[in-house]
Amino acid sequence: MIVALTFAGLILFGMPIGFAIGLAGVVGLIDMGGTQFLPVGPGKVFNGLNIFPFLAMPFFILAGEIMNHTGITDRLVTLARVLVGHFRGGLAHTNMLASVFFAGLTGSATADAAAFGRTLVPAMVKEGYSRDFACAVTAAGSIIGPTIPPSGLMVVYGSLMGVSIGGLFAAGILPGLVICGICMMVIALGAARNNLPKAESRSSTKEIIDTFFASFTALLMPIIILGGILGGIVTPTEAASIAVAYALFIGTFVYRTLTLDALYRMLVSTARITGVIFVIIAFAGILGWWMSFERIPQAIAEAVLVISDNRYAVIAIIIGILLVVGMVMDITAILIILAPVLVPLTQQIGLEPIHAGIIFVLALNISLMTPPVGACLFVLSSVTGEKLERIAMKLFPFLLAEVGILFLFAYLEDAALLLPRLLGFVG
């Protein structure tokens, strides 16, 4: 109890989440046996980061930064627009499809929200969409980024839980595409009622082909990453480093928009993002060891199974915990703290590890667009100047649809594991 109160108190006083986790863990060590357990702390901090696949994270982040700053976004948006821009609500559909293309480059919801918040949202407003609706569409599409690989959250989960990262990547493709399709259906169903704008004419075949070839080098990057990992040619870490080399080559020699000054700023940004994540992971090692020592995961699993041992009820409880906690806490911290607690529960009800992983990832990704602390909402609000509560109101139909998709893949194991099974990650 004292550990939980310490953690909650530090968060309320505004301490960064990583340090709050670390101090709560230290309090736990002291509560266990005075100062005799404190020497354990530094070793747990080091061991928390001493996991080779974590090297993939800064490489994927840097590759996304480079591709995002070299004009790739505009090319992908143009491609999406010639494909679906002729429908009623064409720019909203474009926004959603562009998120799929963009997902293979950055794997980041906030990067997607920031990029499209500066480009597509103003374009949608200029064409006659309300700004809150434009922001809501952007937020709904942004979570496709960390669902379709590469995904930093999947790297963290796979590394911590000993689950195949390639298998998680394969499992994320179908849900990401389904999210895009269902959200486009939500847009289409409300298009006439909301009198959404429509393009005057359909793009010609020549225009589609020309735009495709102009965007080909950008589209090739996720093919290289996923083809290498899913084909068993390279590890995720090796694929991430190849992605950086490819992004540097494209930015320097093909688009010729990459400068040394811009590269320096991208390296600094990558270091900051990686540093924040790694501080959380490192200090979570102390808290995780304390929870294991106190058998907290087993106690929680037993408490949930007392409520119900029905497989579907337990899955619903796990999803409910992740969604509720995700409303008030950083998703990386949630994953690091709750995965060791809840994964034993998924094992007791017989969930395949990759299936359990994709449930965690989908639930936490949805948390990125839920108030009061949804990161994508804050990014869009700050970039566009729109009030957060207005975005949240317009986002509600998309949120319901995406929660429905989460339960669909949580309950239908064959659908969730379709691609991992085809690619040999699941027997």
Side-chain angles (χ1 to χ4, degrees):
M1 179 61 72
I2 189 172
V3 175
L5 291 174
T6 299
F7 178 72
L10 292 172
I11 293 296
L12 289 174
F13 278 108
M15 177 169 283
I17 184 75
F19 296 110
I21 290 172
L23 286 174
V26 169
V27 170
L29 295 181
I30 294 172
D31 185 57
M32 284 166 52
T35 59
Q36 64 174 319
F37 286 109
L38 289 182
V40 173
K44 297 303 175 184
V45 169
F46 176 79
N47 290 334
L49 290 177
N50 191 26
I51 300 174
F52 180 73
F54 279 157
L55 284 176
M57 292 185 63
F59 283 119
F60 278 133
I61 293 168
L62 179 58
E65 288 279 331
I66 296 170
M67 298 297 274
N68 193 23
H69 285 77
T70 51
I72 298 298
T73 305
D74 294 337
R75 287 175 169 83
L76 295 179
V77 169
T78 302
L79 176 61
R81 190 164 189 171
V82 299
L83 291 174
V84 297
H86 57 280
F87 295 118
R88 180 171 292 282
L91 262 187
H93 291 299
T94 297
N95 194 325
M96 202 61 62
L97 186 59
S99 293
V100 174
F101 295 150
F102 205 60
L105 304 181
T106 67
S108 168
T110 52
D112 186 312
F116 293 159
R118 294 188 182 97
T119 55
L120 272 176
V121 170
M124 291 175 71
V125 172
K126 185 177 180 180
E127 197 165 302
Y129 295 81
S130 65
R131 190 169 58 179
D132 53 359
F133 177 77
C135 289
V137 171
T138 304
S142 68
I143 72 160
I144 296 173
T147 303
I148 294 179
S151 167
L153 207 60
M154 291 180 186
V155 172
V156 174
Y157 183 91
S159 301
L160 291 176
M161 297 293 105
V163 178
S164 166
I165 295 173
L168 290 171
F169 278 9
I173 296 172
L174 187 57
L177 296 177
V178 171
I179 288 172
C180 175
I182 296 298
C183 286
M184 290 177 74
M185 287 179 58
V186 172
I187 293 168
L189 290 172
R193 184 177 69 254
N194 297 321
N195 194 29
L196 298 183
K198 180 182 179 182
E200 295 181 0
S201 61
R202 183 191 296 261
S203 299
S204 66
T205 303
K206 182 180 183 303
E207 186 179 359
I208 293 174
I209 293 173
D210 289 344
T211 306
F212 174 79
F213 280 108
S215 309
F216 183 72
T217 49
L219 296 172
L220 194 60
M221 181 172 164
I223 295 174
I224 292 172
I225 296 171
L226 293 181
I229 296 173
L230 301 182
I233 301 170
V234 294
T235 66
T237 304
E238 293 165 344
S241 60
I242 292 170
V244 171
Y246 179 78
L248 286 171
F249 177 82
I250 294 300
T252 304
F253 299 107
V254 179
Y255 298 142
R256 299 183 179 181
T257 53
L258 187 62
T259 64
L260 286 175
D261 180 61
L263 180 59
Y264 171 76
R265 284 186 274 110
M266 290 176 223
L267 288 169
V268 171
S269 176
T270 300
R272 286 174 178 166
I273 296 170
T274 305
V276 170
I277 295 171
F278 279 9
V279 164
I280 294 172
I281 294 172
F283 285 126
I286 302 174
L287 188 61
W289 187 80
W290 170 79
M291 288 193 296
S292 298
F293 188 89
E294 296 289 343
R295 295 182 53 82
I296 290 176
Q298 294 86 341
I300 291 177
E302 292 168 3
V304 171
L305 292 174
V306 166
I307 298 172
S308 175
D309 59 358
N310 179 275
R311 177 188 179 95
Y312 300 110
V314 172
I315 291 174
I317 291 171
I318 291 172
I319 290 174
I321 292 171
L322 293 172
L323 290 177
V324 170
V325 178
M327 294 175 67
V328 295
M329 192 172 166
D330 175 80
I331 65 168
T332 305
I334 296 170
L335 183 63
I336 295 166
I337 294 172
L338 289 186
V341 173
L342 297 178
V343 166
L345 187 54
T346 68
Q347 294 169 345
Q348 290 197 38
I349 60 172
L351 278 188
E352 207 286 330
I354 292 176
H355 186 198
I358 205 63
I359 292 173
F360 273 76
V361 170
L362 283 175
L364 293 178
N365 285 344
I366 290 173
S367 297
L368 289 168
M369 50 182 261
T370 54
V373 297
C376 291
L377 296 184
F378 276 103
V379 168
L380 285 164
S381 180
S382 62
V383 168
T384 66
E386 185 58 78
K387 291 183 178 180
L388 190 145
E389 57 269 23
R390 289 178 59 86
I391 301 174
M393 289 294 292
K394 293 289 185 178
L395 189 59
F396 190 67
F398 297 101
L399 182 59
L400 284 180
E402 292 180 2
V403 171
I405 294 167
L406 166 60
F407 275 96
L408 174 71
F409 282 96
Y411 287 160
L412 300 181
E413 184 177 89
D414 289 339
L417 297 178
L418 176 62
L419 286 179
R421 282 202 175 107
L422 288 175
L423 294 169
F425 291 104
V426 178

